[in-house]
Amino acid sequence: MSVHGKLLLRHQRPFIAFWLARVCTASGFQMLTVAIGWHMYQLTGNVLDLGLVGLAEFLPRVLFMLHTGHVADRYDRRKIAALCQAGQALIAIALVLGSSSGEVTRELIFVLAFLLGSARAFEMPATQALLPSLVPKALFPAAVAASASAMQTATIAAPALGGFLYAFGSLWVYAPTALLYVLACSLMLSLPARQTALRKERASLHSLLAGIRYIRSRRDIFGAISLDLFAVLLGGATALLPVFAKDILLTGPWGLGLLRSAPAVGALLMSFWLARFPIDRQVGRIMFTAVAVFGVATIAFGLSTSFWFSLAVLVILGAADMISMVIRGAFVQLHTPDEMRGRVSAVNGLFIGASNQLGEFESGLTAHWFGTVPAVVLGGVGTLLVTGAWIKLFPSLARRDQLQEPEEIAEAPR
């Protein structure tokens, strides 16, 4: 770990509480995702339903995008995040009650997936905008990497644990998930109110659209965010993992958990590497290369019939995604004023949600049309095509050498 990373863990108690809260909420979400996906596939056996679950989780990001960012810029971000985590705990409790009575249905899963997506839609911009206020600006790039490592640490263990526990029954997954969300809520509320005074402007169309206008006015920021949207949207195969685990790789819930964990293993290992050897030159070229590797790994996974080779490929996929995520996350936050971070993060969250949840719907739909393996392979090819197109459309981003060029540092938001 770098010197900055050690300082974060040793001297920044609020950051440690924030880090632990992220671990808890990420673990809870990953366990819920594994359980809900397997539960739905057991109920219906329809790959399209797996995609529809992703769509239900994504819709709130679109419906509430303008409001989530404004709320994060107007109210206490700690309380917003805590309230959202409490809501996700209630969703897990509802699944506990439904499983114990045997009343979990396809329709109920869709409703709860929508509510889960709604809570996460408000939580994401609040937590992203909160991070810069918890650490000194000089430590912020290290904080981004450390925060990302927290998410990946949870993502490694939680899906595997969720798959293992599901073998004993869905209750064994949903109940611990509720406890994790309650713990995350408590940790978030323990954070001190150290953030910059937030603007109390009234909600208006002008203020709600401010995040979109800001991103459109910064071509490199728009290029970085939209690259993730289209590349990962086409290349994502997460929603189809239950199909690969059950029908192609011939494993069970435990195998699904390992498959879900594998990208996080690669991401965590890469986050450790980036903490020790941070990327400070040729950031544009490295980011585009990482996205291309993501596409190649997606194709390899789609063609694999070996469980262990599939795991290895997913590890590479996760490592490549981590490189792109750290560069993009630090770049966007460093170029956004604090009073607009909530709204910009909300737009960024929409793009991330589109690349993940909407990507799951796209994967389910194409698998329904063309078959599971062709859908994943075509998605990987699409990622490579998007990477090449974005290099041409955003040449200054591809040529960018540093996160903040010398001429930008003097104008950087305080």
Side-chain angles (χ1 to χ4, degrees):
M1 182 176 291
S2 67
V3 174
H4 282 174
K6 292 179 180 178
L7 286 173
L8 280 172
L9 295 178
R10 188 176 301 169
H11 300 295
Q12 298 294 330
R13 290 185 179 180
F15 179 79
I16 294 175
F18 178 86
W19 189 90
L20 290 173
R22 293 293 297 272
V23 169
C24 291
T25 192
S27 298
F29 177 70
Q30 291 297 330
M31 291 173 67
L32 267 185
T33 301
V34 169
I36 288 175
W38 193 267
H39 206 150
M40 176 64 86
Y41 197 54
Q42 277 188 324
L43 286 174
T44 70
N46 190 342
V47 295
L48 182 59
D49 283 340
L50 297 176
L52 290 174
V53 170
L55 179 62
E57 290 183 13
F58 170 72
L59 281 178
R61 293 185 185 271
V62 178
L63 296 176
F64 308 133
M65 178 193 70
L66 298 178
H67 301 285
T68 58
H70 186 81
V71 167
D73 283 337
R74 188 174 185 184
Y75 301 103
D76 190 328
R77 292 163 180 166
R78 301 166 304 144
K79 294 180 180 179
I80 296 169
L83 182 62
C84 293
Q85 289 154 1
Q88 291 169 83
L90 292 176
I91 292 170
I93 291 173
L95 287 167
V96 169
L97 298 176
S99 297
S100 62
S101 62
E103 296 180 356
V104 175
T105 63
R106 174 178 180 267
E107 291 72 22
L108 177 63
I109 290 178
F110 285 142
V111 171
L112 293 179
F114 180 84
L115 295 176
L116 180 64
S118 299
R120 287 177 59 80
F122 281 90
E123 179 189 12
M124 185 177 181
T127 54
Q128 285 190 345
L130 178 62
L131 179 57
S133 67
L134 295 176
V135 297
K137 186 176 181 180
L139 296 179
F140 180 66
V144 173
S147 179
S149 72
M151 298 290 290
Q152 301 308 325
T153 300
T155 307
I156 290 173
L161 179 61
F164 175 77
L165 291 176
Y166 197 94
F168 297 97
S170 57
L171 278 174
W172 287 82
V173 184
Y174 297 136
T177 297
L179 294 176
L180 285 171
Y181 278 122
V182 170
L183 181 56
C185 178
S186 300
L187 287 167
M188 193 62 67
L189 290 175
S190 72
L191 295 177
R194 292 175 53 187
Q195 61 195 60
T196 303
L198 302 177
R199 298 174 64 182
K200 298 296 184 180
E201 61 179 313
R202 294 175 59 86
S204 65
L205 185 61
H206 182 271
S207 66
L208 293 175
L209 294 175
I212 296 176
R213 289 196 303 272
Y214 185 83
I215 290 175
R216 288 186 59 188
S217 68
R218 304 297 191 275
R219 184 167 177 78
D220 282 359
I221 292 179
F222 177 71
I225 294 177
S226 58
L227 172 66
D228 176 76
L229 166 64
F230 291 105
V232 181
L233 184 151
L234 294 174
T238 303
L240 301 179
L241 287 181
V243 183
F244 275 91
K246 187 174 185 293
D247 300 334
I248 297 176
L249 302 177
L250 305 180
T251 183
W254 67 272
L256 172 61
L258 291 177
L259 290 172
R260 289 297 298 258
S261 298
V265 172
L268 181 63
L269 294 175
M270 181 55 65
S271 70
F272 288 156
W273 176 270
L274 293 176
R276 185 170 180 81
F277 304 102
I279 300 173
D280 53 10
R281 303 303 298 268
Q282 297 184 332
V283 295
R285 179 182 299 179
I286 292 173
M287 182 178 69
F288 277 103
T289 300
V291 176
V293 171
F294 181 93
V296 173
T298 299
I299 296 172
F301 174 77
L303 296 175
S304 172
T305 57
S306 165
F307 177 73
W308 298 108
F309 180 75
S310 296
L311 283 178
V313 169
L314 289 175
V315 169
I316 295 173
L317 181 148
D321 190 45
M322 172 57 72
I323 295 174
S324 172
M325 183 179 70
V326 168
I327 292 176
R328 184 181 66 254
F331 177 67
V332 172
Q333 292 289 350
L334 285 173
H335 287 76
T336 304
D338 183 70
E339 65 271 12
M340 289 192 61
R341 283 195 174 110
R343 282 164 287 182
V344 170
S345 294
V347 179
N348 189 30
L350 173 65
F351 279 54
I352 293 174
S355 64
N356 293 326
Q357 278 77 44
L358 192 58
E360 291 181 5
F361 172 68
E362 179 271 335
S363 297
L365 190 61
T366 53
H368 181 71
W369 287 343
F370 307 116
T372 301
V373 171
V376 174
V377 173
L378 288 173
V381 172
T383 296
L384 295 177
L385 293 176
V386 167
T387 302
W390 256 238
I391 291 175
K392 297 294 185 181
L393 291 172
F394 301 93
S396 62
L397 178 62
R399 293 194 304 266
R400 176 169 283 271
D401 186 47
Q402 299 175 329
L403 289 173
Q404 281 190 301
E405 302 289 7
E407 64 272 15
E408 296 172 336
I409 295 177
E411 302 176 0
R414 296 291 188 262

